Amino acid sequence: MQVTTVHHAPAGTDHTVIGAASGLLGQYRAAPDEAFFASPTRTLLAEGVHARVPQDGRPLADRVADTLARARRDGVEHPLVVGAVAFDHDSRAELAVPARLRTCGALRDDPLIALPAPAADRIDWDVRPVPAPETYGAGVAEAVHRLQDGELSKVVLARTLELRADRPLDLPAILQRLARRDPGGYTFGVPAGGGRTLIGASPELLLSRRGTAVVANPLAGSVPRSADLGEDVRRAAALLESPKDLHEHAFVVDAIRTALAPYCRTLDVPERPTLVRTAAMWHLATTITAELADPAVSALELAVALHPTPAVCGSPTPLAREAIRAIEPFDRGLYAGMVGWGDADGDGEWVVTLRCAEADERTLRVFAGAGVVAESRPEAELAETSAKFRTFLDAAGVPR
């Protein structure tokens, strides 16, 4: 297996060596000082910690820039940070400059990724939904009432499943199953603080920057896949014509267009969304491309300007945040934040932290959310979150 050992993720990592990407995936051990991140362009395995981004009151982009500058002064030739940022990015970030970083091409370009993942252990699970399904439905109804009163245009409400296993969990094997199920997505296993691990497979790119080229790929509007091919195609076609889902998707696209415009010399936003599929879901997607006016603006600065989008929060953002705090009976933590990497040159990839769980030796806290608009029905949003849970639950071996 050939990989590149570097102190950063080179923007041009596009070489393909058979077995390199799947090899890095296989070497991930979910250690407290280890991070794995795979995207459609590269695969990264970070080991050890050279420096951590401090948790203080300064803006996140300033803290990261200072940490990278210090690493460069320490002799790290091309430093980067890798890790996760909370939904409330002013409150918490689990980011570090690794002591050693290995990088290679994308998982989806490695033929060995098609080999089967390790089978899931037979585990006796204790599962507790937070909130209970009926409470979540009542929360959706409350949000719809606020929406119909004109207070909000959209709010995203999440729920969790808290799972306890009767034996220690094999987190690297769970990551293997997530990655091999959707190798073209964004797979991650990064420290979550307190000895916990954030592990997941997100379908959604928040923002990437390579030089002055910027890409965002918001997803909003979803429907579960079907095992029946004809029904699966019917659901995909219906999603493309769904007024409720197109309405929800437009909120997200308009918000990203507005947030990016001040930074960009050119901005291309397609008129209609297309479809993105994962193993569990169909999503409406729009690929937004732009050219920066100022090449000094980093990927992380842009990601912070976008986050949280209406895809994970709502619109208008301040009122949606208030509704989330009032209705959701838990702290989102790193869920619905962003995970990825950014280097000292300003390049980076940041994805929305979805289809994920926070894990320790025997427990998982799995998250899923649904966008609520005035036309939403509690039973439909409950079904959508249940379908989204399956991405992670299937990888963990939790029976249906």
Side-chain angles (χ1 to χ4, degrees), residues 259-273:
L260 279 180
Y263 299 95
C264 298
R265 183 170 59 83
T266 63
L267 184 61
D268 181 27
V269 182
E271 291 186 5
R272 287 186 59 85

Side-chain angles (χ1 to χ4, degrees), residues 245-268:
D245 291 288
L246 290 169
H247 180 57
E248 179 185 344
H249 189 81
F251 278 123
V252 181
V253 172
D254 288 346
I256 290 179
R257 185 205 320 260
T258 300
L260 279 180
Y263 299 95
C264 298
R265 183 170 59 83
T266 63
L267 184 61
D268 181 27

Side-chain angles (χ1 to χ4, degrees), residues 40 43 125 133 159 171 196-197 224 259 262 292 300 319 336 345 388 398:
T43 306
W125 294 96
R159 64 189 186 103
L171 297 183
R196 296 177 67 79
T197 300
L292 284 178
L300 181 60
L319 292 178
D345 296 326
K388 289 175 177 176
V398 180

